[in-house]
Coordinates of all heavy atoms in Angstrom, one line a residue:
Chain B
T7 N 120.9 115.1 84.8 CA 122.0 114.7 85.7 C 121.5 114.4 87.1 O 120.5 115.1 87.5 CB 123.1 115.7 85.8 OG1 122.6 116.9 86.2 CG2 123.8 115.9 84.4
P8 N 122.0 113.4 87.8 CA 123.0 112.4 87.3 C 122.3 111.3 86.4 O 121.1 111.3 86.3 CB 123.5 111.8 88.6 CG 122.4 111.9 89.5 CD 121.6 113.1 89.2
K9 N 123.1 110.4 85.9 CA 122.6 109.3 85.2 C 122.1 108.2 86.1 O 121.2 107.5 85.9 CB 123.6 108.7 84.2 CG 123.8 109.5 82.9 CD 124.6 108.8 81.9 CE 124.9 109.5 80.7 NZ 123.7 109.7 79.9
F10 N 122.9 108.0 87.2 CA 122.6 107.0 88.2 C 122.8 107.6 89.6 O 123.6 108.5 89.8 CB 123.6 105.8 88.1 CG 123.6 105.1 86.8 CD1 124.5 105.5 85.8 CD2 122.7 104.1 86.5 CE1 124.5 104.9 84.5 CE2 122.7 103.5 85.3 CZ 123.6 103.9 84.3
Q11 N 122.0 107.2 90.5 CA 122.1 107.7 91.9 C 121.6 106.6 92.8 O 120.6 106.0 92.6 CB 121.3 108.9 92.1 CG 121.5 109.6 93.5 CD 122.8 110.2 93.7 OE1 123.4 110.9 92.9 NE2 123.4 109.8 94.8
V12 N 122.4 106.4 93.9 CA 122.0 105.5 95.0 C 121.8 106.4 96.3 O 122.7 107.1 96.6 CB 123.0 104.4 95.3 CG1 122.5 103.5 96.4 CG2 123.1 103.5 94.0
L13 N 120.7 106.3 96.9 CA 120.4 107.0 98.1 C 120.0 106.1 99.2 O 119.5 105.0 99.0 CB 119.2 108.0 97.9 CG 119.4 109.2 97.0 CD1 118.1 110.0 96.9 CD2 120.5 110.1 97.5
K14 N 120.3 106.5 100.4 CA 119.7 105.8 101.6 C 118.4 106.4 102.0 O 118.1 107.6 101.7 CB 120.7 106.0 102.8 CG 122.0 105.2 102.6 CD 122.8 105.3 103.9 CE 124.1 104.5 103.9 NZ 124.5 103.8 102.8
T15 N 117.6 105.6 102.5 CA 116.2 106.0 103.0 C 116.4 107.3 103.9 O 117.2 107.3 104.8 CB 115.5 104.9 103.8 OG1 115.3 103.8 102.9 CG2 114.2 105.4 104.3
G16 N 115.6 108.3 103.6 CA 115.6 109.5 104.4 C 116.5 110.6 103.8 O 116.3 111.8 104.2
Q17 N 117.4 110.3 102.9 CA 118.2 111.3 102.3 C 117.4 112.1 101.3 O 116.4 111.7 100.8 CB 119.4 110.7 101.6 CG 120.5 110.1 102.5 CD 121.7 109.6 101.7 OE1 121.6 108.9 100.7 NE2 122.9 109.9 102.2
S18 N 117.9 113.3 101.0 CA 117.3 114.2 100.0 C 118.2 114.4 98.9 O 119.5 114.3 99.0 CB 116.8 115.5 100.6 OG 118.0 116.2 101.1
M19 N 117.7 114.7 97.7 CA 118.5 115.1 96.6 C 117.7 115.8 95.5 O 116.5 115.8 95.6 CB 119.2 113.8 96.0 CG 118.3 113.0 95.1 SD 119.3 111.9 94.0 CE 120.1 113.2 92.9
T20 N 118.4 116.3 94.6 CA 117.8 117.0 93.4 C 118.2 116.4 92.1 O 119.4 116.3 91.9 CB 118.1 118.5 93.5 OG1 117.7 119.1 94.7 CG2 117.5 119.2 92.3
L21 N 117.3 116.0 91.3 CA 117.6 115.6 90.0 C 117.5 116.8 89.1 O 116.5 117.6 89.1 CB 116.5 114.5 89.5 CG 116.3 113.3 90.4 CD1 115.4 112.3 89.7 CD2 117.6 112.7 90.8
Q22 N 118.5 117.0 88.3 CA 118.6 118.2 87.4 C 118.0 117.9 86.0 O 118.2 116.8 85.5 CB 120.0 118.7 87.3 CG 120.6 119.1 88.6 CD 120.0 120.3 89.3 OE1 119.3 121.1 88.6 NE2 120.3 120.5 90.5
C23 N 117.3 118.9 85.4 CA 116.9 118.8 84.1 C 117.0 120.1 83.4 O 116.6 121.1 84.0 CB 115.4 118.3 84.0 SG 114.7 118.4 82.4
A24 N 117.5 120.1 82.2 CA 117.7 121.4 81.5 C 117.4 121.1 80.0 O 117.7 120.1 79.5 CB 119.1 121.9 81.6
Q25 N 116.8 122.2 79.3 CA 116.6 122.1 77.9 C 117.0 123.4 77.3 O 116.8 124.4 77.8 CB 115.1 121.7 77.6 CG 114.1 122.6 78.3 CD 113.6 123.8 77.5 OE1 113.9 123.9 76.3 NE2 112.8 124.6 78.1

Side-chain angles (χ1 to χ4, degrees):
Chain B
T7 55
K9 284 189 182 293
F10 302 94
Q11 183 70 48
V12 179
L13 290 178
K14 290 186 176 0
T15 297
Q17 287 184 317
S18 62
M19 78 159 295
T20 299
L21 307 185
Q22 300 292 345
C23 174
Q25 53 91 8

